[in-house]
């Protein structure tokens, strides 16, 4: 499975941004997809995962409230809608996929290259 993330950029505090991740070259049935991020000098942290049908989601503490994950009907593209962005959201955002447990970060075995999000005045 190949993953391609896009949508990062430089934004102001309070702005919104939508990241996209498209999966290709593999079997998508049953594939969970999710987002992680790694800020400067920080460890990579889990943000949110979504199941194959887009019916179940699991949010990590950092993503609750301002971030929303959703999956396109074709089921091989997921989006991360990020609202009210803060400087501490500055990080490289990674798309990941795998299965079966969307809550278990070790189940995310396929990784994209990441997209930079910078939140700065």
């Amino acid at each position: 499975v190949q993953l391609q993330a896009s949508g990062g950029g430089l934004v102001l505090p309070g702005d919104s941004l939508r990241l996209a991740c498209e999966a290709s070259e593999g079997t998508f049935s049953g594939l969970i997809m999710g987002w992680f991020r790694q800020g400067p000098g920080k460890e990579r942290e889990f943000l949110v995962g979504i199941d194959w049908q887009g019916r179940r989601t699991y949010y990590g503490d950092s993503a609750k409230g301002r971030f929303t994950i959703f999956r396109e009907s074709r089921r091989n593209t997921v989006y991360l809608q990020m609202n009210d962005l803060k400087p501490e959201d500055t990080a490289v955002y990674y798309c990941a996929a795998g299965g079966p447990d969307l809550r278990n970060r070790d189940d995310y075995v396929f990784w994209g290259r990441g997209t930079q999000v910078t939140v700065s005045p």
Side-chain angles (χ1 to χ4, degrees):
V1 175
Q2 301 294 319
L3 301 173
Q4 180 65 51
S6 61
L10 173 63
V11 297
L12 296 170
D15 282 355
S16 297
L17 203 60
R18 180 176 294 181
L19 307 181
C21 175
E22 182 175 4
S24 61
E25 300 184 20
T27 300
F28 307 127
S29 177
L31 194 69
I32 63 170
M33 296 181 73
W35 290 93
F36 293 69
R37 71 182 181 186
Q38 187 166 15
K42 298 180 181 179
E43 294 185 354
R44 188 174 298 186
E45 66 171 331
F46 170 80
L47 291 176
V48 59
I50 190 167
D51 73 347
W52 158 243
Q53 295 178 311
R55 295 177 182 175
R56 292 188 301 117
T57 58
Y58 180 73
Y59 286 84
D61 289 341
S62 296
K64 292 177 181 177
R66 296 183 295 119
F67 294 2
T68 303
I69 190 172
F70 58 98
R71 196 157 188 165
E72 193 177 72
S73 59
R74 288 187 304 159
R75 297 176 178 174
N76 65 334
T77 302
V78 293
Y79 301 90
L80 182 66
Q81 177 67 41
M82 303 185 293
N83 297 327
D84 189 24
L85 284 162
K86 306 177 186 302
E88 52 264 39
D89 294 317
T90 295
V92 178
Y93 285 70
Y94 295 91
C95 176
D101 187 354
L102 57 88
R103 298 167 298 176
N104 184 355
R105 62 180 297 161
D106 292 335
D107 279 8
Y108 293 87
V109 296
F110 303 106
W111 292 85
R113 287 189 176 182
T115 183
Q116 176 70 45
V117 172
T118 302
V119 185
S120 181

